[in-house]
């Protein structure tokens, strides 16, 4: 696993950079939370006044006397009333500060998260197919959904409290030192110990968190995979098996999480004992000082109250540094996504193209997903408007070839030209606009039929959508549905039949009206009668467009002008026929430039 690929400082720097647009929000949150220090310093004062001046015999401090009626400044009743009202007032202010700062913090946190997630999602969309083939969709989903929280955890959950606690700490030490400097000194001796503790625990925690997040993400992929293929799981009766797989993953996670809790509690225990030792020492010395008259009893109470408040930022600081390890692991995982470079990238000064004529040329194209070659030295020419049929056994590389044409992947060697220009020289979106793709397994989204057709062209009018559906022989079945074009097709279009799905996706291709049509075995999963209807529509669709039609049976391709047969990534036969000028067969490998 990626061990410390990023340094801690690196991660902070990059997270803060991401949070930059919200610095005003963050600053406001900090300012509001800083108010808690003076309020915390005031909190134990009513108690001191009650003990020393109401019960005891000390006069009220001069500052306080100014608030009291001059007629009876030191009467016990007035003093007590003052003490009680002050207590209520301080409590009210502390509550108000807490509420306001909580609301602002939530708002800022959500804005940060939303922004960060959106950027992460954008980047994941941009990444090439090879990344997604490799990592799987669930892992990306986990990073977007859960790991993105690190931006909140680090900025609002750590850096702000860190600044806040540091300031509180300095304030508390200063105030205690003014009352009794020896006490302040004793109290502060614990901080180097806390610092050492934090350093020791940081690394093991981070490593354990890394393991947990990986296990979490893989448990989620089991869920995604099973729910996505629930029909197959049920059909083969593998529910129990999948359940076991899930439970096994989550037990590992459970064990890892318990190990973290173990380390964390060990840390908490040492932390608590350290601060308790500090408190005990201070109490010891404090009592001595009260006996010798250096401190009043009320002052000792105040110091003890401050001390507990002094230790709370101290232990916050050290706890934060360990909790932070979980957030930093998430940060590692998100930045790993940001640092991933898409394999298929657009060249600078790429050419734009509005509508290609549709001339394609492949020059000794080779491709492999990993080490084994999938396409080997493929060369052929396609003149505009002709129909090319590609056949071959499954696994021969037909779909791969189609993916290369749309630049889902780039060839490992050789080149592909569209209208005489290398595909890599075009703007990516322009290039993909030249194609309409119909897949073996049509992909629908969980929305209405109309919107599914309009996926090809979001600004299409209703008339255009209906026109496209008519051309695709889909209008008839759509209007027979009770809700017509507004019928919801369900997730991945599961509520309409396979043939219907295919016709909707053909309508999409009609609406797209692209110069090049890629048909990847569009009829291989429907029955013969449906196939006839689809072929009829496809015939219409192919008119006036360059068409690449993939089928594993040669018979489906009898109307094609050029027929290629692929076998294990090589063109083993090329037959030109029909109306178009016969393209020159280029079976021999041509050198690439
Ligand atoms: N995303 C992928 N990652 C790795 N190997 C792949 C991937 N897609 C296909 N392959 C492999 O490439 C070969 C060609 O696949 P494909 O082009 O889908 O064949 P066809 O469409 O002719 O059935 C197969 O051996 C397949 O296992
Ligand atoms: Mg295929």
């Amino acid at each position: 696993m990626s061990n410390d690929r990023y340094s801690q400082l690196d991660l902070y720097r990059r997270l803060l950079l991401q949070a930059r647009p919200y610095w005003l929000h963050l600053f406001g949150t900090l300012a509001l939370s800083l108010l808690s220090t003076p309020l915390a310093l005031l909190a134990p004062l009513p108690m001191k006044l009650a003990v020393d001046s109401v019960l005891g015999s000390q006069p009220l401090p001069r500052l306080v006397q100014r608030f009291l009626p001059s007629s009876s400044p030191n009467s016990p009743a007035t003093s007590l009333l003052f003490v009680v009202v002050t207590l209520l007032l301080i409590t009210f202010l502390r509550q108000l500060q807490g509420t306001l700062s909580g609301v602002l913090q939530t708002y800022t946190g959500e804005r940060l998260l939303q922004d960060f997630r959106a950027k992460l999602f954008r980047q994941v969309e941009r990444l090439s197919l090879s990344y997604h083939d490799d990592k799987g969709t669930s892992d990306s989903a986990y990073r977007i959904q859960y790991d993105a929280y690190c931006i909140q955890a680090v900025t609002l959950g750590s850096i702000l409290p860190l600044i806040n606690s540091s300031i509180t700490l300095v304030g508390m030490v200063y105030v205690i030192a003014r009352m009794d400097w020896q006490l302040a000194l004793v109290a502060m001796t614990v901080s180097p110990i806390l610092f050492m503790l934090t350093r020791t625990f940081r690394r093991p925690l981070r490593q354990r968190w890394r393991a947990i997040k990986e296990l979490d993400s893989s448990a989620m992929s089991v869920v995604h995979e099973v729910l996505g293929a629930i029909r197959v799981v049920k059909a083969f009766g593998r529910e129990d098996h999948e359940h076991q797989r899930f439970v096994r993953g989550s037990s590992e996670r459970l064990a890892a999480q318990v190990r973290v809790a173990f380390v964390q509690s060990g840390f908490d225990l040492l932390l608590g004992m350290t601060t308790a030792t500090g408190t005990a020492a201070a109490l010891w010395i404090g009592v001595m000082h009260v006996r010798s008259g250096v401190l009043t009893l009320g002052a000792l109470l105040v110091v003890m109250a401050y001390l507990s408040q002094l230790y709370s930022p101290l232990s916050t600081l050290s706890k934060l540094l360990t909790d932070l390890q979980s957030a930093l692991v998430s940060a590692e995982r998100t930045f790993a996504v940001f640092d991933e470079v898409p394999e298929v990238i657009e060249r600078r000064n790429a050419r734009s193209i509005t509508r290609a004529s549709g001339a394609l040329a492949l020059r000794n194209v080779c491709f492999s997903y990993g080490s084994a070659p999938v396409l080997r030295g493929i060369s052929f020419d396609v003149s505009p408007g002709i129909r090319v049929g590609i056949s071959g056994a499954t696994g021969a590389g037909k779909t791969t070839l189609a993916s290369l044409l749309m630049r889902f992947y780039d060839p490992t060697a050789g080149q592909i030209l569209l209208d005489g220009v290398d595909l890599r020289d075009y703007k990516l979106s322009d290039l993909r606009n030249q194609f309409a793709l119909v897949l073996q397994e049509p992909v629908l989204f969980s929305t209405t039929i109309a919107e599914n057709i309009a996926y090809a062209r979001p600004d299409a009018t209703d008339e255009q959508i209906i026109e496209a559906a008519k051309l695709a022989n889909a209008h008839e079945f759509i209007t027979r549905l009770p809700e017509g074009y507004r019928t919801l097709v369900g997730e991945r279009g599961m509520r309409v039949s396979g043939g219907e799905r295919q016709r909707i996706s053909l309508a999409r291709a009609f609406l797209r009206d692209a110069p090049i049509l890629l048909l990847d075995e569009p009829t291989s999963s429907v029955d013969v009668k449906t196939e006839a209807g689809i072929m009829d529509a496809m015939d219409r669709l192919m008119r006036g467009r360059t068409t690449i039609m993939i089928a594993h049976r040669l018979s489906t391709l009898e109307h094609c002008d050029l027929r290629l047969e692929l076998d294990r990534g090589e063109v083993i036969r090329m037959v030109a026929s029909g109306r178009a000028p016969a393209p020159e067969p280029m079976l021999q490998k041509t050198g690439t430039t």
Side-chain angles (χ1 to χ4, degrees):
M1 300 294 101
S2 62
N3 253 348
D4 290 357
R5 177 171 161 199
Y6 302 97
S7 78
Q8 193 145 308
L9 267 176
D10 245 7
L11 293 172
Y12 286 129
R13 191 178 52 77
R14 296 187 62 174
L15 282 168
L16 283 177
L17 226 59
Q18 291 287 335
R20 208 169 44 177
Y22 299 98
W23 74 269
L24 252 179
H25 292 78
L26 289 169
F27 186 76
T29 316
L30 178 65
L32 252 182
S33 61
L34 279 183
L35 280 183
S36 72
T37 309
L39 290 174
L41 285 171
L42 284 178
L45 284 183
M47 181 63 109
K48 174 187 184 322
L49 294 180
V51 172
D52 283 351
S53 304
V54 180
L55 296 174
S57 53
Q58 288 203 355
L60 284 172
R62 208 164 305 139
L63 185 69
V64 172
Q65 287 189 3
R66 248 187 266 157
F67 290 96
L68 300 177
S70 48
S71 54
S72 58
N74 276 337
S75 91
T78 336
S79 309
L80 186 56
L81 188 67
F82 175 79
V83 165
V84 170
V85 170
T86 316
L87 186 121
L88 286 177
L89 192 68
I90 291 173
T91 311
F92 173 71
L93 287 177
R94 290 188 86 177
Q95 292 293 334
L96 188 69
Q97 182 270 339
T99 312
L100 288 181
S101 127
V103 170
L104 185 61
Q105 186 154 342
T106 307
Y107 175 74
T108 311
E110 291 306 310
R111 287 289 300 267
L112 278 172
L113 178 64
Q114 183 196 31
D115 201 52
F116 193 53
R117 261 196 194 146
K119 279 194 204 142
L120 201 54
F121 182 50
R122 185 98 196 87
Q123 166 72 0
V124 168
E125 275 188 320
R126 250 164 48 87
L127 288 177
S128 308
L129 277 181
S130 47
Y131 176 86
H132 296 292
D133 292 346
D134 189 35
K135 296 275 158 128
T137 51
S138 315
D139 183 63
S140 301
Y142 187 88
R143 287 172 203 242
I144 295 169
Q145 195 61 28
Y146 299 107
D147 286 328
Y149 273 109
C150 65
I151 187 114
Q152 269 187 2
V154 169
T155 53
L156 286 168
S158 308
I159 295 184
L160 288 196
L162 215 69
I163 298 176
N164 193 5
S165 298
S166 313
I167 293 177
T168 313
L169 192 70
V170 173
M172 293 281 177
V173 170
Y174 175 74
V175 174
I176 297 180
R178 289 210 42 182
M179 298 173 77
D180 187 334
W181 64 270
Q182 287 183 350
L183 270 183
L185 208 63
V186 169
M188 284 310 291
T189 49
V190 301
S191 34
I193 304 178
L194 293 183
F195 181 72
M196 296 286 290
L197 278 178
T198 306
R199 275 194 71 93
T200 322
F201 276 85
R202 204 168 57 196
R203 189 169 291 268
L205 277 170
R206 189 151 165 199
Q207 274 158 4
R208 290 193 165 81
W209 274 118
R210 246 184 230 135
I212 290 185
K213 292 196 185 210
E214 265 151 36
L215 287 168
D216 250 359
S217 157
S218 66
M220 196 160 110
S221 61
V222 174
V223 174
H224 273 197
E225 199 170 44
V226 169
L227 294 183
I230 192 75
R231 273 161 211 266
V232 181
V233 174
K234 280 184 188 293
F236 287 95
R238 298 303 296 257
E239 291 96 332
D240 285 346
H241 166 82
E242 298 298 348
H243 179 241
Q244 298 276 310
R245 196 152 74 100
F246 180 73
V247 169
R248 209 176 317 125
S250 34
S251 339
E252 265 181 63
R253 185 198 183 284
L254 187 147
Q257 185 79 59
V258 170
R259 275 196 294 273
V260 163
F262 200 71
V263 176
Q264 182 90 48
S265 339
F267 176 70
D268 286 349
L269 177 74
L270 290 176
L271 198 73
M273 285 318 293
T274 311
T275 53
T277 312
T279 314
L283 186 63
W284 181 283
I285 293 173
V287 170
M288 296 299 195
H289 283 183
V290 171
R291 281 202 186 135
S292 62
V294 179
L295 272 180
T296 64
L297 179 58
L300 177 64
L301 288 177
V302 172
V303 170
M304 291 317 287
Y306 283 171
L307 214 58
S308 72
Q309 289 182 24
L310 168 74
Y311 285 147
S312 98
L314 264 185
S315 59
T316 312
L317 287 182
S318 344
K319 253 194 181 165
L320 275 182
L321 289 176
T322 55
D323 284 350
L324 204 57
Q325 300 313 313
S326 155
L328 286 178
V329 169
S330 282
E332 283 173 359
R333 292 166 50 88
T334 52
F335 287 123
V337 173
F338 280 121
D339 291 346
E340 195 73 39
V341 182
E343 272 188 12
V344 174
I345 42 173
E346 189 171 281
R347 225 165 244 184
R348 252 193 295 159
N349 306 323
R351 284 170 180 246
S352 13
I353 182 169
T354 33
R355 195 172 177 90
S357 73
L360 287 166
L362 283 82
R363 301 266 177 271
N364 200 20
V365 170
C366 303
F367 181 74
S368 66
Y369 288 104
S371 47
V374 173
L375 294 178
R376 287 180 283 189
I378 306 235
S379 301
F380 61 88
D381 278 58
V382 179
S383 18
I386 72 163
R387 295 179 186 183
V388 182
I390 300 177
S391 63
T394 46
K398 307 180 296 292
T399 301
T400 306
L401 187 58
S403 302
L404 291 186
L405 290 178
M406 286 196 80
R407 236 192 131 201
F408 289 148
Y409 308 92
D410 281 332
T412 28
Q415 57 176 176
I416 304 177
L417 311 174
L418 170 65
D419 289 359
V421 175
D422 193 302
L423 295 187
R424 286 168 286 204
D425 288 337
Y426 288 117
K427 286 203 171 115
L428 257 182
S429 58
D430 280 4
L431 172 70
R432 291 190 182 142
N433 259 330
Q434 307 308 314
F435 293 87
L437 178 66
V438 180
L439 296 168
Q440 177 173 3
E441 269 302 320
V443 177
L444 299 190
F445 295 91
S446 60
T447 171
T448 61
I449 291 182
E451 277 186 51
N452 263 299
I453 296 176
Y455 201 77
R457 189 138 54 96
D459 58 353
T461 62
D462 285 354
E463 289 74 44
Q464 287 171 322
I465 292 175
I466 294 173
E467 175 65 21
K470 279 184 179 154
L471 287 166
N473 286 345
H475 181 70
E476 200 191 331
F477 94 81
I478 296 173
T479 43
R480 255 190 282 122
L481 292 167
E483 295 189 63
Y485 281 86
R486 296 204 196 298
T487 308
L488 292 168
V489 295
E491 201 177 31
R492 284 175 298 131
M494 282 322 202
R495 280 156 57 181
V496 291
S497 81
E500 289 165 347
R501 270 202 295 283
Q502 197 52 282
R503 274 178 280 179
I504 293 173
S505 77
L506 273 182
R508 208 186 257 169
F510 272 109
L511 192 62
R512 178 83 164 181
D513 189 28
I516 307 170
L517 191 59
L518 283 181
L519 305 167
D520 190 358
E521 307 193 41
T523 59
S524 61
S525 53
V526 295
D527 58 89
V528 181
K529 184 158 166 287
T530 317
E531 179 172 7
I534 291 177
M535 288 302 283
D536 173 56
M538 273 198 304
D539 201 53
R540 224 173 294 144
L541 183 57
M542 288 188 258
R543 266 172 229 154
R545 298 174 216 276
T546 306
T547 305
I548 314 277
M549 186 168 174
I550 296 171
H552 54 254
R553 269 166 299 156
L554 264 174
S555 64
T556 334
L557 304 175
E558 51 201 17
H559 301 296
C560 291
D561 307 302
L562 172 66
R563 277 182 284 164
L564 303 175
E565 193 174 341
L566 274 189
D567 183 40
R568 272 165 275 161
E570 280 181 297
V571 179
I572 52 163
R573 190 166 343 142
M574 184 160 353
V575 186
S577 65
R579 48 205 174 86
E584 203 179 310
M586 301 181 68
L587 276 171
Q588 72 283 26
K589 289 182 180 157
T590 52
T592 51
T593 44

